[in-house]
Amino acid sequence: MLKRARIVAQSATRRSTLARRIQTAVLIAGCLLPGLAGSAETKDPLLAYGARIIGDDARTRIVIDFDREPRFSVHYLANPERIVVDLSATAFGFPAKDLAARGLFKDIRYGKMDDESARIVLTTARPVKLSLAKVQADEAGRGHRLVLDAEMIDKQAFAELVKTQSWDDRTDAAQTTSAIPAPENTAPGDFVIAVDAGHGGIDTGAIGVDTKTEEKQVTLAFAKALADRLNKEPGIKAFLTRSDDEFLSLSQRVLIARQNHAGLFISLHADTLKQKDIRGATVYTISDKASDKLAADLAERENLSDQIAGKETVAEPPEVADILLDLTRRETQAFSISLAESVLNSFKDQIGTINNPHRHAGFRVLQAPDVPSILLELGFLSNAEDEKLLLDETWRTRIADLLTEAVKRYRTGVVANGG
């Protein structure tokens, strides 16, 4: 620890230059990469150019260097126990390893929430509180630093922190969606499709085994390609639930599809598995009982998306959840299954799939009671061969073509049956 402290001190004089270089790189990348463009075009976001964490399982300190003074707020969440630090728009330019979880924290996430805000979520190993949370000027005049000192407390004290705090983010995120994306130039009778790029913002999703590409980038590239391809078809209007690197809660995604009267909801993902040899596409539909352990584990991970982003999950009474699932099953599950089968028929002999490629589990993002929905795992970033395909533009175009044919065939069937 002392050796690291000396290294940090010796490198302090180089931070200003590093900050300027990182800021320039972020701005250039924002111009070149669609996923970053939103950050570059906003009101001059803060730059977090350095970070460090020290301590043990009793006390832990986090220090984050900014190019200028940040405004922040701190909140506590239970189940699991988390500390949420909200910031204005921020570009995080330091290596992930510099803020790797240790001491009192078992997981640390940070990233964009929307065009105007960013968030740091500290998932704790035990109940903790911040004994110090302050911004101080850099002694050498190179911006400001945010200092967070955490110390262990008992469960009762943590529960009291959660109970007595004041913040306005307790309502369901779906109810606070300010700008609902919508398809353009729709006409009466158009078949509307919501194309959902999984993850986004602070929720990076899976990480590629070789290139370390984030799942949120892969899904957004595929979503844009698919929506563009669908919109070339007469009578079909597709739109994106998110068009940039933005966090959307699971309930927001469902709400966006429903408020636009979507006839289909297609959520795109590219997860990782512990078994690196498993590869290929999978199509999931909703069910209150998982088809197998792989499907159950995947649904459990995907349903944690809101927790990763520091959203307070309001638990629904079991009977409400049962009603929602029952409505989904009775009113739309047959259509969802029909769409899944159409997709797999298009993929047959064209795209590799896993064993039993149509599976089902309790995915929260598929719970719209009146919108047939599927979750498509395009492949697995944990498999090197799948990862190559997922990053290949030609393969992406091919998938978009096959999915479009599947949607057209599904639509023909629905119309023929009076839907």
Side-chain angles (χ1 to χ4, degrees):
M1 185 179 299
L2 290 174
K3 182 178 179 182
R4 179 170 180 172
R6 286 196 298 270
I7 293 172
V8 170
Q10 291 167 359
S11 64
T13 58
R14 297 193 293 270
R15 285 184 191 148
S16 182
T17 301
L18 176 61
R20 287 194 297 271
R21 289 177 178 173
I22 293 174
Q23 191 167 34
T24 300
V26 169
L27 291 174
I28 291 172
C31 295
L32 296 177
L33 298 176
L36 295 176
S39 297
E41 295 169 2
T42 53
K43 302 174 184 177
D44 193 17
L46 291 164
L47 174 65
Y49 65 86
R52 46 215 175 274
I53 178 171
I54 59 173
D56 54 27
D57 59 1
R59 295 181 63 90
T60 303
R61 166 171 283 194
I62 290 174
V63 179
I64 302 176
D65 299 308
F66 291 85
D67 63 338
R68 59 190 187 277
E69 184 176 3
R71 294 183 180 275
F72 72 97
S73 61
V74 173
H75 307 292
Y76 296 88
L77 291 176
N79 302 316
E81 292 146 349
R82 289 156 288 163
I83 299 174
V84 174
V85 181
D86 280 324
L87 300 158
S88 56
T90 301
F92 293 91
F94 52 80
K97 62 181 178 59
D98 290 355
L99 199 54
R102 61 173 296 173
L104 287 168
F105 303 113
K106 62 182 181 180
D107 186 62
I108 298 177
R109 305 287 179 113
Y110 49 87
K112 176 179 176 181
M113 293 298 287
D114 53 40
D115 286 341
E116 298 179 353
S117 65
R119 175 169 285 184
I120 302 168
V121 181
L122 309 167
T123 302
T124 66
R126 55 183 51 81
V128 304
K129 73 171 183 179
L130 293 182
S131 57
L132 175 69
K134 71 175 184 178
V135 172
Q136 60 189 46
D138 183 271
E139 295 85 350
R142 291 181 290 271
H144 288 69
R145 62 172 64 105
L146 173 63
V147 182
L148 305 172
D149 281 350
E151 62 182 33
M152 59 183 291
I153 57 175
D154 60 38
K155 286 185 175 295
Q156 184 175 351
F158 185 85
E160 191 64 21
L161 282 174
V162 174
K163 181 180 178 181
T164 58
Q165 69 185 338
S166 174
W167 66 333
D168 59 4
D169 196 24
R170 289 184 176 275
T171 56
D172 192 325
Q175 303 304 315
T176 61
T177 304
S178 57
I180 301 292
E184 296 181 1
N185 304 319
T186 56
D190 279 345
F191 191 56
V192 178
I193 302 170
V195 181
D196 178 55
H199 307 281
I202 190 173
D203 178 17
T204 59
I207 305 294
V209 65
D210 282 341
T211 67
K212 307 306 178 186
T213 301
E214 295 170 336
E215 183 183 359
K216 65 178 183 179
Q217 299 169 347
V218 173
T219 59
L220 184 57
F222 269 94
K224 288 180 175 179
L226 177 57
D228 287 345
R229 178 63 183 85
L230 286 167
N231 282 325
K232 293 178 181 178
E233 296 296 324
I236 291 179
K237 296 296 180 184
F239 70 98
L240 302 173
T241 57
R242 70 175 179 95
S243 58
D244 61 8
D245 184 19
E246 177 183 5
F247 172 79
L248 290 176
S249 70
L250 299 173
S251 53
Q252 278 179 310
R253 297 169 190 269
V254 174
L255 180 69
I256 289 168
R258 297 188 69 202
Q259 289 195 345
N260 283 290
H261 308 290
L264 286 180
F265 177 88
I266 301 174
S267 189
L268 302 173
H269 292 261
D271 272 279
T272 58
L273 296 174
K274 292 180 180 179
Q275 306 95 318
K276 308 298 183 186
D277 59 323
I278 296 180
R279 59 175 305 202
T282 322
V283 184
Y284 291 92
T285 50
I286 194 169
S287 173
D288 53 356
K289 183 178 180 181
S291 56
D292 54 87
K293 188 175 186 305
L294 188 150
D297 290 346
L298 181 63
E300 182 179 8
R301 289 200 306 273
E302 294 296 344
N303 290 346
L304 288 175
S305 177
D306 291 356
Q307 287 186 10
I308 288 172
K311 287 289 181 183
E312 184 176 38
T313 303
V314 180
E316 292 176 323
E319 62 270 21
V320 173
D322 288 345
I323 290 170
L324 283 175
L325 286 173
D326 193 46
L327 283 171
T328 300
R329 184 186 303 110
R330 286 185 297 172
E331 297 179 14
T332 68
Q333 192 174 37
F335 290 110
S336 300
I337 291 171
S338 176
L339 175 61
E341 291 173 348
S342 183
V343 169
L344 290 173
N345 284 335
S346 287
F347 282 5
K348 189 175 182 180
D349 300 325
Q350 301 291 323
I351 300 295
T353 59
I354 68 169
N355 263 344
N356 304 316
H358 178 197
R359 305 189 182 206
H360 48 82
F363 292 91
R364 285 181 57 205
V365 79
L366 302 181
Q367 282 189 352
D370 48 359
V371 184
S373 306
I374 63 168
L375 186 149
L376 172 60
E377 283 287 349
L378 297 157
F380 295 101
L381 283 168
S382 48
N383 180 276
E385 293 303 312
D386 264 7
E387 183 182 18
K388 290 178 184 177
L389 291 176
L390 289 166
L391 300 179
D392 186 281
E393 187 175 353
T394 301
W395 193 76
R396 185 184 307 148
T397 300
R398 186 180 177 195
I399 290 284
D401 287 339
L402 293 172
L403 286 173
T404 299
E405 290 305 311
V407 168
K408 289 166 60 180
R409 186 163 53 249
Y410 167 87
R411 183 193 183 196
T412 299
V414 169
V415 171
N417 287 304

